[in-house]
Amino acid sequence: MNIAVIGAQWGDEGKGKIVDLLTRHVSVVARYQGGHNAGHTVNVGDAQFILHLLPSGILHAGVRCVIGNGVVVDPVALFAEIETLSRQGIDVGDRLLISDKAHVILPYHRELEVLAEARRGDRKIGTTSRGIGPSYEDKVARRGIRIADLGDHSDDGPLAAAIRENVSARNRAVGGTEVDWRVVHAEARSVWPRLESWVGDASLFLARAMDDGARVLFEGAQGTMLDIDHGTYPFVTSSNGTVGGICTGLGVGPKAIGGVLGIAKAYTTRVGEGPLPTELHGDMGDQLRESGNEYGASTGRPRRCGWYDAVVVRYAVRVNGLDAIAVTKLDVLDALDAIPLCTGYRYGGELLTEFPSNGAVLAGCEPVYETLPGWSRPTAGVRRYEDLPPEARSYLERIETVTGLPIAIVSTGADRADTIVVRDGLIARWQADAAVPASVL
Ligand code: IMP
């Protein structure tokens, strides 16, 4: 059974750790959207790995990693990430497959993004300045450059024409010193010899691997509330991190997705602008940020922090068809005497239990909390459910009730080992179905 791991909040839920944990049971990990705006942190013993573009499965020898057509790829950032990993003793070798249909991020995409953000002024999105949005814009406008296009070596072929056109649009938009399209063209072509052996038909590879009985893990980036369609638009990223993105971003059918695991922290964070109904301002927010080390893995920006929002997670359950959830960073709440949990929103005189699809309604919502007792004892590093303090178990069980889903995994620390697999359900079914054919390794 193939499983999808999807963020149920605004990204940074700890997907990297959970994907890493589950990767020992798969032979292929596939990313289907986003780019190096993502920052997936995995701690193994004393070593820390931060993955941006590469699927987290790359840390496991023998696991094939796919970057799907739905991902936008900055080749320079990709090479830098591969080099960092190599210094840390991880060899990508021939385990990577990049879809020839994935779109490319070039330097002018970053410039255009910075310009667009500056022009938005107070209404800025707070993007990661990686060129993600402008690359997707080019894709949808049908002027984008795809990975396979980089293999065009002619001086005046389709790659040259596309770059010339896009750079001249950049020059018109940005003003000031003009960029010479020939320089961009030369740089774009120069990455091909290094990239070529990793490029191929990712959809076909996945189809064959699955026919052979390989188990695939679909790794989402960002989170449900940052999804271009289902997130808090316009304060979102430019791709579909929700479950539908798997089919379009990899070229697989819906039946390939056997189970969907949603990841949510024991509280809520978001980085960048936009609504965050349970946001905490002042000391409590600072305390969560410091104890949770809530600073962006990609940009270092401080994350905004708030209480667990069950309205948000329930929404993620609906739009992704989640089967179970993982709760991460439970230990960050260890010092608290009491823990508010948001179960609904008050809007005018009304109580809303579903996340409003209208941004103006959302702006007028006040969270409704119930308060649960804290445990004021460390859960950090606890590895068995029964060793959690009773108040921590009650908190988790309340989350199960208000979200309507079983909790499959609880994470109690950054290390791979600081994890509780709570229920038999989804994860155990998956673990039991152990066949991993040698042909895809
Ligand atoms: P972009 O993806 O760089 O265009 O940024 C759009 C929004 O998504 C901004 O609010 C970013 O902070 C947010 N964002 C993008 N990637 C991530 C991520 O991996 N984790 C958390 N937030 C992200």
Side-chain angles (χ1 to χ4, degrees), residues 15-279:
K15 294 179 291 295
K17 171 177 166 167
I18 304 297
V19 169
D20 172 68
L21 198 79
L22 297 177
T23 296
R24 73 181 81 149
H25 308 291
V26 305
S27 45
V28 181
V29 178
R31 272 275 306 266
Y32 56 91
Q33 46 72 234
H36 65 308
N37 48 351
H40 294 168
T41 306
V42 181
N43 290 286
V44 187
D46 292 337
Q48 183 173 76
F49 303 92
I50 299 181
L51 298 154
H52 299 285
L53 192 52
L54 290 167
S56 307
I58 205 76
L59 302 179
H60 294 250
V63 170
R64 295 294 298 266
C65 289
V66 175
I67 293 180
N69 59 279
V71 176
V72 283
V73 178
D74 179 334
V76 176
L78 174 70
F79 296 153
E81 194 172 330
I82 289 172
E83 275 152 31
T84 305
L85 279 184
S86 164
R87 282 195 295 277
Q88 292 186 284
I90 305 289
D91 181 26
V92 170
D94 61 357
R95 293 188 294 125
L96 180 62
L97 177 66
I98 306 171
S99 167
D100 46 11
K101 294 182 189 158
H103 279 249
V104 174
I105 299 177
L106 291 171
Y108 55 81
H109 290 123
R110 284 190 293 277
E111 284 183 281
L112 290 170
E113 178 174 342
V114 171
L115 182 75
E117 280 285 84
R119 286 195 177 143
R120 280 189 197 107
D122 290 349
R123 292 172 40 254
K124 73 170 192 231
I125 294 166
T127 62
T128 58
S129 310
R130 301 288 197 267
I132 306 290
S135 177
Y136 279 117
E137 281 176 45
D138 281 359
K139 171 179 174 173
V140 175
R142 289 158 294 179
R143 57 170 178 252
I145 292 165
R146 307 206 286 187
I147 288 284
D149 299 334
L150 299 176
D152 166 19
H153 278 287
S154 53
D155 288 334
D156 53 0
L159 178 64
I163 290 183
R164 192 167 51 226
E165 196 179 308
N166 289 349
V167 169
S168 81
R170 176 264 168 222
N171 286 340
R172 284 195 302 275
V174 178
T177 315
E178 294 214 335
V179 167
D180 183 346
W181 72 269
R182 289 175 201 82
V183 175
V184 180
H185 182 219
E187 279 171 11
R189 280 198 301 189
S190 71
V191 300
W192 184 250
R194 198 163 168 203
L195 211 53
E196 186 178 5
S197 66
W198 288 315
V199 177
D201 184 337
S203 163
L204 182 62
F205 167 79
L206 286 168
R208 287 188 174 150
M210 290 187 289
D211 276 353
D212 264 1
R215 197 182 299 119
V216 182
L217 194 155
F218 303 112
E219 178 178 8
Q222 291 82 51
T224 299
M225 305 313 277
L226 288 172
D227 181 279
I228 183 75
D229 286 288
H230 300 291
T232 46
Y233 191 90
F235 301 100
V236 291
T237 192
S238 306
S239 62
N240 289 114
T242 50
V243 73
I246 295 172
C247 295
T248 54
L250 285 165
V252 299
K255 292 194 192 107
I257 308 163
V260 192
L261 179 66
I263 317 296
K265 282 178 191 165
Y267 49 99
T268 310
T269 65
R270 101 170 274 175
V271 59
E273 309 303 315
L276 179 60
T278 60
E279 181 165 14

Side-chain angles (χ1 to χ4, degrees), residues 411-432:
S411 168
T412 57
D415 198 86
R416 225 182 228 176
D418 295 337
T419 312
I420 303 167
V421 176
V422 182
R423 292 276 193 282
D424 297 341
L426 185 72
I427 306 301
R429 264 203 331 271
W430 200 41
Q431 287 169 344

